[in-house]
Amino acid sequence: MAVTGALLVGFVVQHMFANLQIFLGRGVYNDYAHFMQSLGKLLWVARLGLILIVVLHIWAAVRVSRLNDEARTYRYHKPRNYQVTTPWARYMLFSGVVIFLFIVYHILHFTAGVADPAVFNHWEVMVDGHWMPTPDTFDITKLPAGTEIRHDAYEMFILGLKKPTVGLFYIVANGALAMHLAHACSSMFHTLGLSYGKYRPFVALIGPGIGALLLFGNVLMPLAMLTGMVEVDAVGAVAAASGHH
Ligand code: HEM
């Protein structure tokens, strides 16, 4: 549980910093997305690796809670009166299920592009050595042969999260993720036997610290799109359209 959890935390933290590049503009963000796509087979290895880690993490969760139940000689007759715990710790299953549902939706949304195809189908074309955005109605099947195109992840990102229900779902799901990690990241140190003596108070703060960092970064993005703080920067769209229509 702790080892797969640590790998997943590593992924979400780097994913957050990578996504925050959206605030640096179209060029920076799409160059990054394009670089990821250019990894080809390596990207698939990373994707399959992540899926395997998620499956192992869920398997470990089921096993740990089963062992926990079995270790109890007498069943509880009344609902438990928790005294030494945190709200985060009590809702691990609930937050975990919300995160799982979010991941499924998120992949359909931004990787497969089937949850909202109109938002996914945006492309940039190469014009005179520069990547140029194209208008919404742009038809990539009508491009002259040999024209270089790349996915416009920047527009997909902004237009996707601008929709109130979608943006709010991202905020709720990342709230659940922050809650999950507030407990998990401290718990991981207990499991690995690294929470003792003078380290204890510090370990107790790691979880809420990482949770708060992720909450801030990951909620900032949908919030920026919902409030219109970040709008699509369409510089060059007209030039690209006139060259190719
Ligand atoms: C506000 C929070 C988040 C935002 C704005 C966001 C944004 C994105 C975007 C734009 C992509 C597609 C990148 C591209 O097409 O180049 C993506 C992919 C992905 N995200 Fe997130 N993400 C967020 C949170 C999360 C969380 C919490 C998880 C996991 C728990 C996650 C897991 C993934 C995965 C697995 C992919 C697929 C990577 C791939 O296609 O290879 N994301 N995300």
Side-chain angles (χ1 to χ4, degrees), residues 11-12 15 19 29 33 37 43 47 50 99 102-103 106-107 110-111 151 153 156-157 161 170 174 177 218-219 221-222:
F11 167 76
V12 289
H15 188 54
N19 287 335
Y29 191 79
Q37 290 296 325
L43 179 61
R47 284 171 168 165
L50 261 182
I99 296 164
F102 167 76
I103 296 174
H106 189 47
I107 290 175
F110 283 162
T111 300
H151 187 218
M156 167 186 82
F157 189 157
L161 296 191
Y170 271 71
N174 281 284
L177 177 69
N218 279 348
V219 166
M221 292 179 273

